[in-house]
C-alpha cells in the first residue's frame, strides 16, 4: 500500500463544459429561409452580423418597419416563435402543428402586453352622422368594422358586446335567455332573487348609452342614400370620401394576409386597437373581465397568429400580404382619425356663428 | 414604433459538475463513489469522493429515467419494451419474399404464407423467432426457430447491408419489418431450420407454390420469450 500524499486526480482531456447547440437547430434554417425568401438582402450583410439570429432580427426588423412605418394607431409588433408549445413567459399554447420542425409562428400584438394598445372613441361622431340621417352612422360603422375584421384583432364595440355575451351570458345574445340560464345555474327562483344574490351583468350595464345596433351594425343605407345624406355636411362628406378610399384599397391592393388564426388552438388575448363608443362606456370593464377569464385557459397574448413554413416561400408571401394589409390598416386609420377628431363639433360651431 | 422579436430555444451550457466511479469485482459486485469535479488552475480535477448512497443512486436513476423511459403510445403488437430493447410479434399471414440464392430457389420471389413471428431488437442485435400459435405471446410462450435464410441458430438476423432504423421504439417496428421482409434472402446460416425432408429450400419452394406453413414442423429452441428477453436485458 502506498502512503504518498494524495494528489487530486486530474481529468486531462475531459472537457469542463459542453454546449448543446439547440439554438442552431432553429436559427440556421430560419436564417436560410429568410435568405431564400429574399428577406435578408445584401445590405443586411454590409457589416458582418454578430450571429445568425442578429442577422435575422436585423433583416426582419427592417422589413417590418417598412411595412408598418405609416401606421399611427395600430400596435403591430411582430414576434416570431419557434415553439408552438410553450410554457414560458406566463402563457401556454399548444397548436395543431406542435411537432412540426418546419413550422414557425408569426404573432402580432402589443409591445407592452395584452390590451395596452391605443384606444379611439367613435361614438359622438357616429351619433352625429345618425343625426343627419337615421342609418348613416350605422352604415359607416358596419363598413368600417368589416375592414377592421381583416386586421390583427381589433376590439370594436361589436367585438366587445360579443365578448360580453360570451363572458357574462354563457354565449346567449339577449338578456332574457341569459337570465333563464343563470336562474338554472344559481338555482334562483326569480330574476329579482338572482340579481339580489348574484353578480349578473345586465344589458343596461353592457350597452350603457350605446345604441343596441352596435352589437351588429348593418349597412342600413344604400350607396346613393349615403351620398345624399352626406352631401350637405362637410364632415359627413369627408367620412364618406375616406371610406371610398378605404374601399379602393380593399378592392385593388390585395391579396391580404389571412389573420384569422385558424391554427391558434387557443384564445387570442390581445388587440391591436380598441375602438370604443366613449370613454365612459363598458368596453374597458368587458375587456378586463375577459382578460382574466381567458387567462385561466389556453391563451396566446397576441392579436393574430399565423403558421409559416421554413421550407417554402410562405414567409415572403406573408410579408407581402402584410404590406397590403398595412395599406388597408392605414386607410382605416384615416377613417378613424376623422371619427375621433370631433371635427363635426367645430363645424357645428361655425354654422352657429355664420348662420 | 412597431418592433420585431424572435423567440427560440437557446443553446444549453453544461458545466462539469460530478463524476461517478464504479469498482467492479470479478464476480460482478459493484461499488460506486460519487465525486465532485471542479476546474482548478484551468484543469478539471476530481475531488475526494463519497460512497454512493441508495438515496443518491435513486436520484441519479430518476434523472436518467427521465431520458431513458419510454413515453408514447404503445404499439398493439409490442410484447416487451425497455430502454433500448423492443420485442413485438407479427401474426401469421401472407407476405412477399425475395430470394437471391444459389440452387433451386435462385432469384424467385412471391407471396407466401409465413408463420407467426416474434422480433426482438436491442442495441447490439436483432433476432427473430417463430411461434406455434397465431396469438399474442406471453412470457412463458415457447419459441421456435424462424426458418428463414440469413438467420442464425440463436435467432439473430444477419443484417448484411440492410438499412435498419437508428432508434428503437414503436415507430421503428415497421421499418424493421420492412428491412427483414423486403431484403433478399441469400443463404441459410444453419442446417436445421425446419424438421422436414429437403430442409429450408424445399420448405420455401413449397411455400412459394402456395402451401400452408407447416407449423408442426418448426424446430423448438427450448427457450421461452422470457428466457430470451432476460438474457438480452442482463447483457445490457
Amino acid at each position: 500500500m502506498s502512503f504518498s500524499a494524495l494528489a487530486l486526480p486530474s481529468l486531462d482531456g475531459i472537457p469542463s463544459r459542453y454546449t448543446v447547440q439547440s439554438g442552431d437547430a432553429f436559427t440556421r434554417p430560419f436564417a436560410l429561409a429568410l435568405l431564400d425568401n429574399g428577406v435578408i438582402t445584401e445590405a443586411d450583410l454590409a457589416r458582418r452580423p454578430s450571429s445568425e439570429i442578429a442577422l435575422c432580427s436585423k433583416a426582419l426588423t427592417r422589413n417590418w418597419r417598412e411595412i408598418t412605418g405609416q401606421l399611427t394607431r395600430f400596435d403591430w409588433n411582430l414576434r416570431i416563435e419557434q415553439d408552438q408549445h410553450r410554457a414560458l413567459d406566463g402563457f401556454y399554447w399548444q397548436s395543431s402543428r406542435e411537432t412540426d420542425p418546419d413550422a414557425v409562428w408569426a404573432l402580432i400584438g402589443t409591445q407592452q402586453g395584452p390590451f395596452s394598445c391605443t384606444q379611439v372613441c367613435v361614438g359622438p361622431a357616429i351619433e352625429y352622422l345618425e343625426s343627419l340621417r337615421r342609418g348613416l352612422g350605422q352604415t359607416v360603422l358596419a363598413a368600417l368594422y368589416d375592414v377592421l375584421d381583416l386586421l390583427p384583432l381589433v376590439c370594436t364595440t361589436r367585438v366587445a358586446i360579443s365578448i360580453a355575451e360570451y363572458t357574462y351570458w354563457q354565449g346567449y345574445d339577449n338578456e332574457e335567455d341569459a337570465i333563464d340560464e343563470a336562474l338554472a345555474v344559481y338555482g334562483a327562483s326569480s330574476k329579482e332573487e338572482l340579481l339580489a344574490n348574484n353578480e349578473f351583468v345586465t344589458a343596461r350595464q353592457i350597452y350603457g348609452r350605446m345604441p343596441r345596433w352596435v352589437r351588429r351594425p348593418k349597412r342600413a343605407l344604400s350607396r346613393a342614400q349615403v351620398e345624399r345624406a352626406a352631401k350637405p355636411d362637410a364632415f359627413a362628406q369627408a367620412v364618406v370620401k375616406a371610406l371610398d378610399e378605404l374601399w379602393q384599397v380593399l378592392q385593388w391592393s390585395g391579396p391580404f394576409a389571412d389573420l384569422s388564426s385558424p391554427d391558434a388552438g387557443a384564445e387570442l388575448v390581445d388587440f391591436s386597437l380598441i375602438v370604443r363608443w366613449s370613454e365612459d362606456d363598458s368596453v374597458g370593464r368587458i375587456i378586463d373581465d375577459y382578460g382574466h377569464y381567458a387567462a385561466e385557459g389556453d391563451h396566446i397574448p397576441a392579436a393574430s397568429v399565423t403558421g409559416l413554413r421554413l421550407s417554402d416561400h410562405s414567409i415572403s408571401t406573408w410579408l407581402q400580404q402584410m404590406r397590403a394589409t398595412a395599406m388597408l390598416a392605414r386607410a382605416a386609420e384615416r377613417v378613424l382619425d376623422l371619427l375621433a377628431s370631433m371635427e363635426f363639433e367645430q363645424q357645428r360651431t361655425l354654422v352657429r356663428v355664420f348662420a | 414604433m412597431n418592433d420585431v422579436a424572435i423567440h427560440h430555444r437557446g443553446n444549453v451550457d453544461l458545466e462539469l459538475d460530478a463524476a461517478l466511479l464504479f469498482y467492479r469485482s470479478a464476480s460482478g459486485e459493484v461499488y460506486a463513489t460519487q465525486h465532485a469535479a471542479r476546474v482548478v488552475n484551468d484543469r478539471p480535477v476530481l475531488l475526494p469522493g463519497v460512497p454512493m448512497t441508495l438515496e443518491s443512486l435513486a436520484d441519479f436513476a430518476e434523472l436518467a429515467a427521465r431520458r431513458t423511459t419510454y413515453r408514447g403510445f404503445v404499439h398493439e403488437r409490442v410484447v416487451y419494451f425497455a430502454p433500448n430493447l423492443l420485442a413485438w410479434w407479427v401474426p401469421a399471414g401472407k407476405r412477399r419474399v425475395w430470394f437471391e440464392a444459389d440452387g433451386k430457389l435462385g432469384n424467385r420471389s412471391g407471396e407466401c404464407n409465413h408463420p407467426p413471428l416474434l422480433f426482438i431488437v436491442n442495441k447490439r442485435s436483432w433476432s427473430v423467432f417463430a411461434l406455434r400459435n397465431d396469438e399474442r405471446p406471453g412470457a412463458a410462450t415457447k419459441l421456435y426457430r424462424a426458418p428463414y435464410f440469413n438467420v442464425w441458430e440463436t435467432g439473430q438476423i444477419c443484417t448484411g447491408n440492410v438499412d435498419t432504423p437508428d432508434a428503437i421504439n414503436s415507430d421503428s417496428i415497421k421499418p424493421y419489418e420492412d428491412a427483414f421482409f423486403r431484403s433478399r434472402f441469400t443463404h441459410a446460416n444453419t442446417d436445421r431450420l425446419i424438421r422436414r425432408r429437403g430442409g429450408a429450400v424445399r420448405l420455401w419452394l413449397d411455400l412459394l407454390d402456395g402451401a400452408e406453413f407447416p407449423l408442426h414442423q418448426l424446430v423448438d429452441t427450448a427457450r421461452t420469450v422470457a428466457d430470451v428477453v432476460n438474457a438480452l436485458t442482463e447483457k445490457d
Side-chain angles (χ1 to χ4, degrees), chain A residues 122-196:
Chain A
V122 297
I126 296 296
E127 279 172 348
Y128 173 75
L129 293 173
E130 278 290 299
S131 74
L132 296 177
R133 176 167 178 173
R134 190 172 176 184
L136 179 60
Q138 187 179 177
T139 303
V140 165
L141 206 60
L144 176 64
Y145 282 2
D146 285 349
V147 170
L148 295 181
D149 281 351
L150 298 174
L151 308 178
L153 272 184
V154 176
C155 181
T156 59
T157 47
R158 177 165 71 185
V159 170
I161 300 293
S162 128
I163 288 175
E165 290 168 0
Y166 172 67
T167 310
Y168 306 134
W169 290 357
Q170 290 88 35
Y172 287 104
D173 63 4
N174 65 81
E175 190 180 82
E176 291 70 35
D177 287 345
I179 284 177
D180 285 346
E181 179 72 20
L183 287 173
V185 169
Y186 295 115
S189 55
S190 67
K191 180 181 173 182
E192 291 67 34
E193 185 190 332
L194 174 79
L195 298 179

Side-chain angles (χ1 to χ4, degrees), chain A residues 78-271:
Chain A
L78 176 63
R79 197 163 80 239
I80 299 292
E81 292 278 0
Q82 173 191 12
D83 285 333
Q84 303 94 321
H85 179 138
R86 283 172 69 90
L88 305 174
D89 301 341
F91 75 97
Y92 175 86
W93 157 41
Q94 183 172 8
S95 88
S96 54
R97 286 199 267 167
E98 67 171 302
T99 55
D100 189 346
D102 191 42
V104 66
W105 299 87
L107 289 78
I108 299 174
T110 51
Q111 196 166 38
Q112 303 298 324
F115 315 141
S116 62
C117 58
T118 306
Q119 301 191 6
V120 53
C121 298
V122 297
I126 296 296
E127 279 172 348
Y128 173 75
L129 293 173
E130 278 290 299
S131 74
L132 296 177
R133 176 167 178 173
R134 190 172 176 184
L136 179 60
Q138 187 179 177
T139 303
V140 165
L141 206 60
L144 176 64
Y145 282 2
D146 285 349
V147 170
L148 295 181
D149 281 351
L150 298 174
L151 308 178
L153 272 184
V154 176
C155 181
T156 59
T157 47
R158 177 165 71 185
V159 170
I161 300 293
S162 128
I163 288 175
E165 290 168 0
Y166 172 67
T167 310
Y168 306 134
W169 290 357
Q170 290 88 35
Y172 287 104
D173 63 4
N174 65 81
E175 190 180 82
E176 291 70 35
D177 287 345
I179 284 177
D180 285 346
E181 179 72 20
L183 287 173
V185 169
Y186 295 115
S189 55
S190 67
K191 180 181 173 182
E192 291 67 34
E193 185 190 332
L194 174 79
L195 298 179
N197 299 323
N198 301 285
E199 194 179 340
F200 182 86
V201 181
T202 62
R204 177 179 289 218
Q205 288 170 305
I206 291 174
Y207 284 94
R209 289 192 297 110
M210 287 189 273
R212 296 295 168 111
W213 51 256
V214 297
R215 181 181 164 274
R216 212 171 280 153
K218 291 189 171 63
R219 298 186 188 208
L221 302 184
S222 67
R223 166 87 209 178
Q225 287 170 324
V226 166
E227 280 180 0
R228 272 203 302 277
K231 197 169 182 181
D233 187 274
F235 175 74
Q237 276 184 38
V239 170
V240 171
K241 184 165 177 278
L243 275 171
D244 278 344
E245 287 166 6
L246 179 60
W247 177 250
Q248 290 292 321
V249 175
L250 188 65
Q251 278 284 85
W252 306 111
S253 300
F256 306 102
D258 177 4
L259 299 167
S260 59
S261 310
D263 292 333
E267 297 277 352
L268 296 184
V269 183
D270 202 0
F271 297 114

Side-chain angles (χ1 to χ4, degrees), chain B residues 156-216:
Chain B
Q156 195 169 330
I157 298 165
C158 175
T159 51
N161 59 357
V162 173
D163 282 335
T164 53
D166 296 330
I168 298 175
N169 53 44
S170 287
D171 292 338
S172 45
I173 287 178
K174 187 172 182 311
Y176 267 111
E177 289 177 0
D178 286 346
F180 183 73
F181 291 111
R182 292 187 179 176
S183 63
R184 282 172 164 71
F185 293 109
T186 55
H187 60 277
N189 283 20
T190 177
D191 293 336
R192 273 197 84 223
L193 281 173
I194 191 95
R195 289 189 290 116
R196 62 174 288 166
R197 194 185 297 252
V201 173
R202 187 70 254 161
L203 168 74
W204 285 106
L205 285 170
D206 289 349
L207 292 173
L208 285 165
D209 289 338
E212 288 297 315
F213 193 94
L215 290 171
H216 63 284

Side-chain angles (χ1 to χ4, degrees), chain A residues 12 16 22 65 77 80 83, chain B residues 3 7 9-10 14 16 43:
Chain A
D12 287 338
S16 61
S22 52
R65 285 183 181 169
N77 293 279
I80 299 292
D83 285 333
Chain B
D3 264 325
H7 292 184
R9 289 188 291 267
L14 304 164
L16 181 61
R43 294 174 73 188

